[in-house]
Amino acid sequence: MSDVLGTTHLLGIDALGTADIELIFRTADGFKEVLSRPIKKVPSLRDVTIANLFFENSTRTRVSFELAEKRLSADVVNFSSSSSSTKKGETLVDTVNNILAMKVDMVVMRHPDPGAAVFLSRHANARIINAGDGTHAHPTQALLDAYSIREKLGKVNGVKVAIVGDILHSRVALSNIQCLQKLGAEVMLCGPSTLMPKYVEHLGVRVTNNLDEALKWCDVANMLRIQLERQGGDGIANFPSLREYAMLYGLDGNRYRQIGKEVVIMHPGPINRGVEITSEVADGANSIILDQVENGVAIRMAVLFLLASGLERGSANK
Ligand code: CP
């Protein structure tokens, strides 16, 4: 068990209490200050070894975790499934236990299968951080998103957040809902019915199929990527065409101006420019998309630092 968080691993937001999230934010505040210095490095995780295991593509999360680890002076090893022995049929548990045998303390894992991080936490003797598992959870993305709202608006409690688009395939949506609700925000989901999960009524959120209604209601709009790679077939199984999707659920400059008030624009990336959001809005004055990416490093430094508390270093232990 971590000495300071109510959890040994970070598998999802559900295991974190509100006090845990606030502690992560306060710790990230300190690391943001470190990242503004000419020398952006502290010795906090010296002698801690971290393996980054990516079984699915990533740009932001992979680079952000690696930078966070290096800024904390951890020893880092990177693993990509495309160049590994998983291609020869090795199982996930065998792969990870072989890496842990080399005295790794913490594992950051992205995997296409929902539940992969939970499974690993039960079969591997290391602290596991879920960097995204299929359509299930992406806890550090939710933390950095809520942290970015707090930074922009000064609070999360009471803020109205619309999450727009492909909710069905989105691990970001589920983790965001849990994190925002723990911090007292109101959440509305907006998208076509075919991209809403069946269990949506159990999530404690408002739901609409009308983007203009969602935009008028919210203070923050988090525009999700259409996850074509998870829709099977030719990638468009849940709506007629990308053009129709963009007309109904895409946010362009004209639609933004019709809201008649300032709405903070977020996107977890990678962006399908011209589909869920146009460049005019993504790169506009009310967009905090690159602030989200910047804050990701400080948030991941905080998570790694707090989860490593109480760790007997170099011994691959829980
Ligand atoms: N937001 C996010 O998870 O991006 P990557 O897939 O590039 O890591």
Side-chain angles (χ1 to χ4, degrees), residues 247-268:
M247 279 170 58
L248 290 172
Y249 294 101
L251 182 54
D252 62 12
N254 284 336
R255 190 167 232 155
Y256 187 91
R257 282 183 285 278
Q258 281 169 17
I259 307 170
K261 64 171 185 175
E262 300 227 329
V263 170
V264 177
I265 301 300
M266 303 175 71
H267 193 301

Side-chain angles (χ1 to χ4, degrees), residues 57-62 110 131 138 141 171-172 268-270 300:
N57 293 345
S58 168
T59 299
R60 278 145 292 273
T61 311
R62 187 170 54 80
R110 168 164 293 189
H138 196 349
Q141 181 70 45
R171 54 192 172 214
V172 174
R300 289 176 175 120

Side-chain angles (χ1 to χ4, degrees), residues 279-298:
S279 294
E280 183 184 0
V281 181
D283 305 330
N286 293 298
S287 166
I288 61 166
I289 294 172
L290 289 180
D291 301 291
Q292 292 171 258
V293 178
E294 181 183 337
N295 288 333
V297 180

Side-chain angles (χ1 to χ4, degrees), residues 56-134:
E56 190 185 74
N57 293 345
S58 168
T59 299
R60 278 145 292 273
T61 311
R62 187 170 54 80
V63 173
S64 181
F65 266 113
E66 187 174 344
L67 260 182
E69 291 151 6
K70 289 180 170 168
R71 302 292 194 219
L72 292 167
S73 305
D75 293 319
V76 178
V77 58
N78 290 311
F79 165 97
S80 157
S81 60
S82 59
S83 57
S84 77
S85 290
T86 54
K87 291 279 176 218
K88 301 175 191 165
E90 191 171 50
T91 66
L92 173 61
V93 170
D94 278 344
T95 297
V96 173
N97 278 331
N98 276 271
I99 291 169
L100 293 179
M102 301 179 223
K103 300 297 179 204
V104 167
D105 301 291
M106 303 175 83
V107 170
V108 174
M109 185 175 75
R110 168 164 293 189
H111 200 281
D113 294 335
V118 173
F119 175 78
L120 192 62
S121 71
R122 293 179 183 156
H123 293 91
N125 191 20
R127 298 186 182 199
I128 311 297
I129 299 175
N130 183 1
D133 60 332

